[in-house]
């Protein structure tokens, strides 16, 4: 972040020669920018940058110049360089550029055009910036302006400003979500890319618009340059910003802007005249530099942008709704220039307000102004000191007047003979003065509170000195005024020590601002809570008074808010509770005590100004969050809470600009098994708030970190039948490759120890029988699952039979072996036990095991199940608990086999009662899938209690009034022979079914690139890394007989069964088989699969006959408008019958317009109702219903607004065949969003299920709104309309909600899919391009109506343009519109071309790009256009009213045939994608080939590299992974990711003692033994030869692969590489090391860091360079990136490595690789040694001949 920086933007409005003639210099603009930067030194001294844009230069001429400096005097340095460049160019102007000699004959005039094209910084637009950096990375890359470069001028953007964004991480994530790959997490680059994204969108939209109208590409871009809507770009980009900011931007084509935050936190001022437009951080510098008067310089209004067009025209545009003004008060106190008149007065006033409390302190101690010396701490406190002195002088004058009056009265009373010497008394009073001295002198110009932590303390010790002899020792009170006391360190370590040397009686430190209690988050560097003196004082007093509990409570409250998004609602500043127990005076006293240095002789006192005084002094600057905690934005409050959390947790991290260390600690759980029950276990455990991640070993094809075939988030909202939208917490589910080798299971135990597993759940019955649970418990791992001995209940029939007989429990007869076959149902009862107590699941699951319907076919492990079984009631369960389970668990404990786990008791229900079929010691399929969705509460708590022997004797709870049905899908032939390897599709569709979950049993994921497919059934630990966009295809394949289990939950067994089968039918694979009668007999009503069904995404069965391909009309697509109109006319008599006076005196008007009107005593009541129509079908196709609610609201409220009324409330109603809670919530959320935008209340939202009325999945969506209008203000005003009234149109966002039957018919005939890229806009899918919601125009229409500017308004909806005026215009008027007055949207042009839709059909069906048309008097046109523009509309004058005869068309669109359908054969020429080509860095056109060299470590950042390089924007391409270890986990990961794996030397290097100590004795690359290796008996020679062989083999491998870059992972000893190898590939080898170099540069850095006891370590990615003298074998060169991590007190080498890899290497390695591969960073070697540089840019490469046949050749 860049804090309290200064910026300036300048636009020259006159030609270059004008300034040359008037001001006598060719560098007028540069000179003015230099002065403005110099006068902002108070805002920045460690960096400076300036950029310039030239307008209207020919192609090939550099039009953007940018220079930056971090020199000791960066302002001077950068401007001297720029001016020198210009002077050099002018001195070398060619003869043809010289016009004539100057007056002195020595300096010829130069052609202005030559100057503009050839001299740097000779353009019209300037942007400059000075920086105060607050972190250690004050590199030149951190200097503004920052540039987003493009070959298209309208996409190039320069950005600079004074800002800090509090939700930078959220904005960063939003960029990632839309597919970008931001290169770093900084608010500067995030805002640059955020704005840039919408700049690209604006360009795309405009190009689509102009290209669709037939314009040539070059013309399109000229039109774009003229019509870029900068304000619209900023509105879109800044809608989710939170922070304080003034941001200036300059586009390559010449537009510019400056945007201020809506709370006015950061300042900006502007001035405009006929020569310049200038914007800067402070007003005085504009006044001084340009000689401007004070009233000509204006503050930029909050929430507005000053937009300067390339033409030089400018205006203030409203971008964000202004919030209560919270201008930063501390900035006025500290940063702003004192020569500002307002700043001067305000600081002086603050000083005056300190005198009264100061006098109280002095008088309380028996002192007065007579023995008080007033002074100040330089430099910014001087103005407040002046105010203090002036107030003291005024006070002294008042006291003198009182004393003189008393003297004179005494003299008159006592007379001349009393001996009273009047003259002496008067002289004594006259001698009373205020003593002021400049006691303190600041030696260094250092702002101590804004320096980085490491240097602050040393600086403060020497920052101040005193003027001796200014204070009388032991007699005077020394008052020192400072502007603020932030940390107190400067006060304690420098100021008080220095002042005490003068020997005053006491020292009073005054602060002109109040106690700084809270961190700043908007740009001033006070980012750590624990640094603040007031906070330290309050914490100390809490501890002294035994109130530390408050801190813990505040911590919990703050921490709970950190995971909430800013949009979730209000945030509470809980940190205020820390200060509540204390008065300000108590805190001041404690601060005084804490800052008093040891050995200080003088008495110390501290006095702060009050918050009330602050507001009195500067009432317009209400931003007081430092002092009160009243942050003006929710992000400020959230970051304050984060600061407290970081302090409480002992972190030294800043509260912004970094990812919070307060993220939830991960609690890892391990589930062992690969079946469907393990999948269900992992899914249920992942929903626990206590679980950070769930590892599954080995897992199956449905278990992955991406939930590609899971359901962790998709149906979280569906599970609750009430439709709750509370998002269910889901931890990542991560498959891992861990060998499961009995009998010791060493690898599993090691995994649990390394990952700190808190609970292992053994789901596989075979592993239980082999003793895995015992092995884990012996290793100290909390384990859920019975011991090997207890598992004999299942594995040994003899044991279980003997035990059951011994207990006298009822056993099933042999004839009862299959419930379905015998006619007796079979159920399972589950009970969880910790070995002593047990808890029973209060429901039974009913199984169906026969393979085929009606209980036919062979017996399987289960073809389906449902729960709860209606055959097992509460009484039977209680009997089973007391008579079966309790005796059984007691007997197991008595025999020394306590059962700790889940026991599944299988029963057959016979007429004589339930009988035991057998036991399962783990939950089987499909019982687990049927029961787990029903379980209420936290399964992790239950399993942990069982593992820890602390289970409560309480029954588990189920979700009330819920049922589940689980249906198993198998391969055909199961349980006999069957085929494997069939592709599975449709799971995503199945997951769209409410309450449905898909659990995998026999699936695998096939990962293929090209034709090389490599199947795998599991992934590595790091598969959680994001790879949403990559070049690998993934297929889910069958790999077992039992493939999937689909489980669905519903409010009844019937509903659950119906949902389950809907989901089952959505899934497809070859020869799939499932039973159709699971739970059929148990349903409350006969439930058989429906007959023919129609998916809502495929259209209803009642679709009209096929549409002819020759021409499409609304009628041919199924909508008979004539019939509709006839029907409406037939309704009129029926409607008129209802026109009667109601009981409340309301009389309906007789017109039958869309919005019905009722006259009330209070005004006119307006109502409107509407439905969405077949746009619903398109939404269903793509599964996106978010915007339909906005459509519905818009249709109603726009109609009401068109009547001049304001909508009061809205109702919606959804009718559906089957309720989908998630879908309904999307619809209602859209309605809510629309109501918020329209400013009305959503009064009711109704839902009705109507089975049999709609096709499956079908629904209808209707809305109803009511509004009110003042009497006499109703629209339209037909009697006022006259010939010539202007028609002003407000553009639509697209098709809105009409014509979709025709749209769908055309798309169906064209054979397009809604998921394909839209032919008219390839940046979006066709479905998305059709769905933008209807715009809501209510506020704009009502604003004009209230201003008396409207005579009528019409929403262009039903009936298209042709019929929208029918109910508005008088009979003798028609609307005459010009087709060339607006652009026909590209989507309409495309529909017309593809469907050969006649022009008149377009007019009668679609809105044709116009959403609302306003009828305005011609005289009011300009005023109306201005008002609409201020309301963020883009109004267009499209026509006028004309007189006509009765019966004439109500609308005539002139020139439509020529303007809209002028292209050959109605074809639309859209040159995509050539023109709208990739916006990526041109370096990525040719991706750098990368080889990874890995060792044998199991935990590495490999997966992060795989994922990062699969993204199209990656500049790197992984060609292979190589390792000397054939068993390397890296090679396994490579195969799983479809990357070539190579074993170097065919494994022989593994035995070559690579990591022996003798390698340090290698001399160069020859393998020669040196003295250091003497006496090693040839061991060094062996290692040396191995290393030589290894490097040679690696070199050959890279040559064969044509690999350009080698990445050496941290588990490979870099000293294996010979010096010759490193020299030959200098700049092409990256080393990853597990420490923050130069610390722990040797081997085993993690262990070394733990031994050293340091608090922080991390990773370093650096270039490899040949070793320097004395550093033999150390190849670590210039560092590219470092990523730190805190070492916890509980860390072991294994846990620290796990965290270091995940949190440091996983993000750092991909970033470093991208930087190097993209050319952003390169190895530089010069006389000074090695350093970092930058590769040739694309343009440089092109000019240098580095491009060959369209590809890039790297050097």
């Amino acid at each position: 972040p860049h804090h309290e920086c200064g910026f300036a933007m300048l636009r020259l409005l006159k030609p270059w020669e004008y300034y040359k003639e008037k001001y006598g210099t060719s560098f007028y603009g540069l000179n003015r920018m230099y002065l403005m930067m110099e006068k902002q030194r108070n805002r920045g001294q460690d960096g400076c940058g300036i950029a310039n844009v030239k307008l209207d230069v020919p192609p090939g001429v550099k039009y953007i110049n940018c220079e930056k400096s971090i020199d000791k005097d960066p302002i001077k340095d950068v401007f001297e360089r720029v001016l020198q460049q210009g002077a050099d160019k002018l001195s070398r102007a060619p003869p043809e550029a010289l016009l004539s000699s100057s007056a002195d004959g020595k300096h010829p005039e130069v052609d202005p055009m030559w100057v503009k094209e050839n001299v740097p910084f000779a353009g019209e637009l300037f942007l400059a910036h000075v920086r105060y950096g607050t972190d250690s990375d004050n590199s030149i890359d951190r200097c503004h302006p920052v540039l987003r470069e493009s070959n298209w001028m309208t996409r190039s953007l320069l950005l600079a400003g004074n800002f800090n964004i509090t939700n930078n991480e959220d904005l960063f994530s939003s960029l990632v979500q839309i597919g970008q790959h931001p290169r770093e997490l900084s608010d500067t680059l995030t805002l640059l890319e955020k704005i840039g994204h919408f700049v690209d969108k604006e360009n795309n939209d405009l190009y689509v618009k102009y290209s669709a109208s037939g314009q040539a590409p070059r013309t399109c871009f000229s039109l774009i340059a003229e019509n870029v809507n900068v304000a619209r770009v900023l509105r879109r980009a800044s809608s989710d910003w939170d922070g304080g900011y003034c941001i200036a931007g300059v586009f390559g084509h010449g537009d510019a802007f400056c945007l201020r935050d809506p709370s006015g936190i950061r300042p900006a001022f502007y001035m405009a005249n006929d020569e310049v437009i200038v914007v800067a951080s402070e007003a005085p510098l504009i006044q001084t530099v340009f000689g401007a008067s004070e009233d000509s310089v204006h503050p930029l209004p909050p929430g507005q942008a000053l937009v300067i067009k390339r033409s030089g025209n400018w205006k203030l545009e409203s971008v964000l709704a202004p919030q209560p003004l919270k201008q930063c008060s501390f900035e006025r106190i500290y940063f702003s220039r004192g020569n500002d008149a307002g700043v001067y007065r305000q600081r002086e006033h603050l000083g005056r307000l300190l005198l009264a409390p100061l006098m109280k302190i002095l008088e309380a101690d028996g002192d007065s102004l007579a023995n008080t010396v007033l002074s100040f701490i330089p430099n910014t406190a001087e103005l407040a000191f002046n105010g203090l002195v002036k107030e003291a002088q005024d006070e002294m004058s008042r006291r003198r007047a009182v004393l003189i009056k008393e003297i004179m009265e005494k003299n008159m009373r006592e007379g001349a003979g009393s001996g009273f010497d009047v003259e002496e008394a008067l002289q004594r009073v006259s001698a009373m003065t205020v003593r002021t001295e400049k006691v303190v002198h600041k030696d260094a110009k250092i702002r101590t509170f804004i320096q980085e932590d490491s240097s602050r303390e040393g600086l403060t010790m020497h920052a101040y000195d005193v003027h001796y002899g200014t204070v009388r020792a032991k007699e005077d009170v020394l008052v020192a005024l400072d502007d603020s006391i932030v940390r107190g360190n400067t006060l304690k370590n420098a100021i008080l020590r220095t002042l005490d040397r003068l020997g005053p009686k006491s020292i009073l430190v005054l602060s002109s601002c109040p106690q700084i209690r809270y961190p700043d988050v908007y740009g001033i560097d006070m980012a750590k809570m624990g640094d603040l003196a007031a906070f330290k004082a309050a914490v100390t007093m809490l501890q002294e008074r035994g109130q530390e509990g408050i801190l813990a409570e505040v911590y919990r409250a703050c921490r709970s808010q950190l995971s909430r998004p800013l949009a979730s609602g209000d945030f509470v500043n809980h940190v205020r509770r820390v200060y509540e127990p204390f008065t300000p005076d108590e805190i001041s006293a404690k601060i005084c005590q804490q800052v008093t240095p040891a050995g200080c002789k003088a008495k110390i006192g501290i006095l702060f100004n009050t918050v009330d005084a602050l507001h009195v002094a500067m009432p317009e600057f209400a931003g007081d969050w430092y002092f009160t905690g009243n942050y003006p934005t929710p992000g400020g409050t959230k970051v304050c809470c984060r600061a407290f959390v970081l302090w409480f947790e002992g972190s030294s991290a800043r509260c912004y600009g970094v990812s919070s260390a307060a993220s939830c600690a991960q609690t890892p759980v391990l589930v062992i098994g690969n079946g469907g029950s393990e999948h269900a276990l992992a899914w249920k455990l992942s929903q626990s708030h206590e679980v950070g991640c769930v590892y599954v070993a080995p897992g199956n094809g449905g278990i992955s970190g991406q939930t590609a075939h899971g359901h962790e988030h998709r149906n979280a909202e569906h599970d609750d039948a009430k439709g709750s939208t509370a998002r269910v917490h889901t931890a990542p589910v991560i498959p891992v490759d861990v060998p499961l080798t009995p009998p010791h299971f060493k690898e599993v135990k090691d995994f649990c120890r390394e990952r700190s597993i808190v609970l292992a759940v053994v789901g596989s019955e075979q592993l239980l029988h082999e003793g895995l649970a015992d092995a884990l418990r012996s290793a100290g791992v909390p384990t859920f699952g019975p011991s090997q001995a207890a598992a004999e209940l299942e594995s040994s029939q003899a044991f279980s039979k003997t035990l059951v007989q011994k207990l006298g429990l009822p056993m099933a007869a042999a004839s009862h072996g299959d419930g379905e076959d015998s006619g007796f149902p079979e159920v399972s009862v589950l009970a969880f036990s910790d070995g002593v107590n047990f808890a029973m699941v209060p429901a039974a699951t009913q199984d169906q095991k026969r393979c085929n319907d009606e209980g036919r076919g062979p017996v399987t492990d289960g073809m389906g199940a449902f729960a709860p079984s209606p055959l097992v009631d509460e009484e039977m369960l209680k009997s089973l608990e007391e008579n079966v389970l309790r005796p059984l668990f007691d007997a197991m404990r008595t025999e020394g086999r306590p059962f700790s786990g889940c026991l599944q008791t299988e029963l057959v229900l016979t007429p004589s009662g339930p009988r035991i079929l057998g036991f399962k010691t783990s939950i089987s399929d499909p019982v687990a899938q049927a029961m787990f969705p029903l379980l209420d509460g936290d399964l992790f708590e239950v399993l942990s209690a069982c593992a820890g022997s602390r289970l409560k004797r309480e029954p588990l709870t189920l979700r009330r009034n819920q049922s589940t049905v689980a249906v198993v899908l198998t391969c055909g032939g199961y349980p006999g022979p069957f085929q494997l390897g069939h592709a599975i599709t449709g799971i995503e569709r199945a997951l769209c079914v409410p309450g449905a979950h898909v659990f995998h049993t026999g699936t695998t994921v096939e990962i293929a690139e090209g034709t090389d497919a490599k199947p795998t059934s599991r992934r590595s630990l790091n598969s959680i890394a994001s790879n949403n966009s990559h070049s690998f295809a993934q297929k889910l394949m069958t790999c077992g007989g039992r493939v999937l289990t689909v489980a669905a939950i519903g409010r009844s067994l019937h509903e659950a069964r119906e949902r389950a089968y809907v989901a089952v039918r959505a899934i497809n694979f070859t020869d799939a088989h499932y039973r159709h009668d699971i739970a059929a007999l148990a349903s409350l009503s006969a439930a058989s699969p429906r007959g023919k069904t129609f998916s809502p995404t495929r259209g209803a069965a009642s679709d009209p006959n096929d549409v002819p391909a020759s021409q499409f009309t609304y009628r041919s697509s199924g909508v008979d408008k004539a019939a509709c109109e006839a029907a409406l006319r037939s309704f009129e008599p029926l409607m008129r019958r209802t026109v009667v006076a109601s009981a409340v005196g309301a009389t309906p008007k007789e017109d039958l317009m869309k919005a019905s009107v009722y006259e009330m005593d209070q005004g006119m009541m307006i109502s409107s109702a509407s439905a969405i129509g077949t746009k619903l079908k398109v939404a269903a196709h793509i599964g996106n219903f978010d915007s339909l609610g906005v459509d519905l609201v818009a249709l109603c409220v726009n109609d009401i607004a068109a009547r001049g009324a304001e909508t009061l409330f809205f109702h919606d109603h959804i009718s559906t065949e089957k309720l989908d809670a998630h879908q309904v919530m999307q619809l209602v959320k859209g309605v809510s969003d629309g109501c918020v935008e329209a400013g009305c209340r959503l009064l009711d939202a109704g839902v009705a299920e109507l089975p049999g009325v709609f096709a499956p999945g079908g629904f209808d969506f209707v809305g109803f709104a009511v509004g009110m209008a003042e009497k006499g203000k109703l629209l339209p005003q037909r009697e006022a309309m006259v010939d010539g009234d202007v028609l002003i149109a407000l553009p639509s966002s697209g098709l809105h909600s009409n014509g979709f039957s025709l749209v769908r018919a055309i798309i169906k005939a064209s054979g397009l899919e809604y998921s394909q890229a839209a032919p008219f806009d390839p940046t979006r899918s066709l479905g998305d391009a059709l769905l933008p919601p209807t715009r809501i125009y209510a506020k704009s229409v009502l604003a004009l109506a209230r201003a008396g500017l409207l005579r009528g308004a019409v929403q262009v909806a039903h009936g298209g343009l042709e019929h929208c005026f029918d109910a508005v215009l008088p009979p003798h008027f028609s609307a005459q519109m010009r087709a060339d007055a607006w652009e026909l949207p590209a989507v309409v042009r495309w529909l017309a071309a593809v469907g050969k839709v006649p022009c008149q059909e377009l007019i009668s069906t679609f809105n044709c790009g116009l959403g609302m048309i306003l009828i305005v008097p011609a005289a009011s046109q300009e005023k109306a256009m201005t008002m609409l523009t201020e309301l963020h509309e883009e109004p267009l004058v499209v026509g006028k009213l004309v007189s006509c005869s009765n019966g004439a068309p109500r609308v005539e669109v002139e020139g439509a045939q020529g303007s809209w359908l002028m292209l050959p054969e109605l074809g639309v020429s859209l040159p995509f994608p050539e023109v709208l080509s990739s916006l990526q860095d041109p370096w990525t056109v040719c991706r750098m080939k990368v080889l990874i060299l890995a060792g044998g470590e199991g935990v590495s950042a490999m997966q992060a590299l795989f994922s990062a390089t699969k993204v199209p924007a990656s500049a790197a391409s992984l060609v292979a992974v190589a390792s000397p270890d054939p068993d390397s986990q890296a090679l396994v990961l490579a195969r799983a990711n479809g990357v070539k794996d190579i074993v170097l030397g065919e494994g022989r290097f593994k035995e070559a003692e690579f990591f022996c100590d003798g390698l340090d004795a290698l001399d160069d690359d020859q393998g020669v033994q040196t003295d250091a290796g003497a006496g090693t008996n040839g061991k060094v020679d062996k290692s040396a030869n191995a290393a030589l062989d290894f490097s040679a083999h690696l070199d050959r491998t890279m040559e064969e692969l044509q690999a350009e870059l080698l990445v050496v992972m941290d588990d490979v000893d870099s000293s294996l590489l010979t010096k010759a190898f490193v020299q030959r590939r200098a700049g092409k080898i990256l080393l990853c090391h597990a420490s923050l170099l130069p610390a722990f540069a040797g081997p085993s850095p993690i262990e070394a860091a733990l031994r050293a006891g340091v608090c922080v370590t991390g990773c370093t990615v650096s270039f490899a360079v040949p070793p320097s003298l004395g550093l033999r074998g150390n190849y670590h060169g210039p560092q590219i990136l470092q990523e730190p991590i805190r070492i916890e007190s509980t860390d072991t080498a294994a846990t620290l490595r796990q965290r270091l890899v995940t949190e440091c290497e996983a993000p750092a390695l991909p970033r470093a690789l991208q930087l190097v591969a993209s050319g952003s960073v390169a190895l530089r070697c010069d006389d000074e040694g090695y350093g970092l540089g930058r590769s040739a840019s694309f343009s440089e490469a092109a000019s240098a001949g580095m491009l060959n046949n369209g590809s890039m050749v790297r050097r």
Side-chain angles (χ1 to χ4, degrees), residues 1033-1067:
Q1034 293 191 358
K1035 292 183 179 179
L1036 192 69
M1037 314 293 289
T1038 63
C1039 71
R1042 292 154 55 80
V1043 180
L1044 299 166
T1045 300
V1046 176
I1049 188 168
R1051 289 168 296 185
S1052 65
L1053 203 58
H1054 173 73
E1055 182 180 67
R1057 181 179 185 276
E1058 188 173 70
R1059 288 179 171 183
Y1061 276 106
V1062 170
V1064 165
R1065 290 191 292 271
I1067 299 173

Side-chain angles (χ1 to χ4, degrees), residues 1182 1310-1319 1321-1322 1324-1329:
I1182 64 174
S1310 67
L1312 291 175
E1313 298 289 338
Y1314 288 98
S1315 59
Q1316 290 178 238
D1321 183 359
R1324 296 186 286 179
S1325 72
L1326 180 56
D1328 287 335

Side-chain angles (χ1 to χ4, degrees), residues 1256-1597:
F1259 67 98
D1260 199 10
F1261 192 26
V1262 297
F1264 174 80
V1266 172
M1268 289 290 291
E1270 295 181 36
K1271 288 187 177 182
K1273 298 295 181 67
L1274 206 63
L1275 297 177
Q1277 299 172 359
R1278 295 187 183 91
E1279 65 283 353
M1281 294 180 186
V1282 298
D1283 201 332
D1285 279 353
V1286 177
L1287 302 179
I1288 298 178
L1290 305 181
S1292 67
S1293 59
L1295 296 176
H1296 283 183
S1297 301
N1298 286 92
F1300 274 87
S1301 294
L1302 177 56
V1303 171
R1304 289 169 48 245
I1306 293 172
I1307 291 172
K1308 180 180 178 181
S1310 67
L1312 291 175
E1313 298 289 338
Y1314 288 98
S1315 59
Q1316 290 178 238
F1320 49 89
D1321 183 359
T1323 63
R1324 296 186 286 179
S1325 72
L1326 180 56
D1328 287 335
L1330 295 172
L1331 284 184
T1334 306
R1335 288 192 58 211
I1336 295 176
Y1337 303 99
K1339 293 181 180 178
S1340 300
V1341 174
L1342 291 176
L1344 261 66
R1346 289 165 182 159
L1349 301 178
L1350 272 188
R1351 288 177 174 167
V1354 292
Q1355 178 179 204
V1356 188
H1358 311 285
L1361 272 179
E1362 182 179 12
H1363 296 290
C1364 66
F1365 285 95
D1366 288 355
V1368 175
L1369 297 182
H1372 55 284
F1373 278 111
S1374 68
Q1376 187 179 78
M1377 305 172 72
R1378 304 186 316 276
D1380 60 357
W1382 78 95
E1383 293 289 343
L1384 189 70
V1387 58
V1388 181
R1389 286 184 183 274
W1390 178 81
L1391 289 167
V1394 174
K1396 295 182 170 58
V1397 183
C1399 240
Q1400 193 57 38
E1401 191 71 21
L1402 294 179
I1403 295 170
S1404 64
T1405 303
F1406 299 113
N1407 62 40
C1408 298
L1410 308 180
M1412 180 73 74
I1413 301 177
L1414 311 175
I1415 304 172
V1416 176
S1420 302
Q1421 173 183 329
E1422 184 176 348
K1423 186 175 181 180
M1425 294 287 285
T1426 300
M1427 181 177 290
L1428 289 168
T1429 303
E1430 291 173 351
L1431 291 167
H1432 304 163
E1433 296 288 355
E1434 298 174 28
L1436 302 164
V1437 177
V1438 296
K1440 61 183 179 179
L1441 294 188
V1442 295
S1443 300
C1444 67
S1445 59
N1446 287 340
R1450 309 311 300 272
V1451 175
E1452 181 181 356
V1453 183
E1454 296 179 347
Q1457 190 71 32
S1459 297
W1460 293 354
L1461 305 177
M1462 62 183 180
L1463 301 178
E1465 299 178 359
L1466 302 180
V1468 180
S1469 175
L1470 296 177
F1472 294 120
E1474 291 80 7
V1475 175
L1476 292 181
S1477 59
S1478 169
L1479 301 178
Q1480 300 169 10
D1481 187 326
W1483 277 107
T1484 64
V1485 175
C1486 178
R1487 304 172 82 189
M1488 180 176 279
K1489 296 180 178 179
V1490 179
L1491 173 67
I1492 297 179
L1493 178 59
E1497 181 63 53
V1499 180
S1500 71
M1502 293 290 300
Q1503 187 61 45
L1505 288 171
F1506 292 140
S1507 301
T1509 53
K1510 290 174 185 176
V1511 177
S1514 173
S1517 172
L1518 293 188
V1519 294
V1521 176
S1523 176
D1525 184 358
D1527 301 322
S1528 171
Q1529 180 70 16
L1531 301 182
V1532 176
L1533 280 175
R1535 291 191 290 272
N1537 283 272
V1539 177
K1540 184 179 182 65
D1541 58 292
I1542 299 172
V1543 180
L1544 294 173
E1546 299 178 351
R1548 69 177 184 275
F1549 294 122
K1550 185 178 181 183
E1551 284 76 34
E1553 297 179 339
F1554 267 9
F1555 301 99
C1556 70
D1557 295 334
L1559 282 173
D1560 284 340
L1562 291 179
D1563 187 13
D1564 294 339
D1565 57 323
Q1566 304 302 315
V1568 179
Q1569 181 174 327
T1570 66
D1571 291 342
T1576 58
N1577 297 322
K1579 184 177 181 180
V1580 174
D1581 289 331
K1582 181 180 178 181
S1583 297
N1585 291 332
L1588 290 171
D1589 191 9
F1590 174 78
S1591 290
H1593 195 92
L1594 182 60
D1595 202 33
R1596 287 194 300 274
T1597 301

Side-chain angles (χ1 to χ4, degrees), residues 55 227 293 359 447 663 734 763 786 871 888 897 918 1191 1564 1751:
L55 307 185
N227 294 284
S293 61
M359 293 303 298
R447 289 175 185 258
S663 58
I734 308 170
L871 304 176
L888 184 67
R897 305 181 188 216
D1191 280 305
D1564 294 339
S1751 64

Side-chain angles (χ1 to χ4, degrees), residues 769 788 791-797 921:
H769 305 158
Q788 187 175 27
E792 288 192 18
L793 265 177
E794 179 180 3
S795 62
S796 172
Q797 289 188 4
T921 52

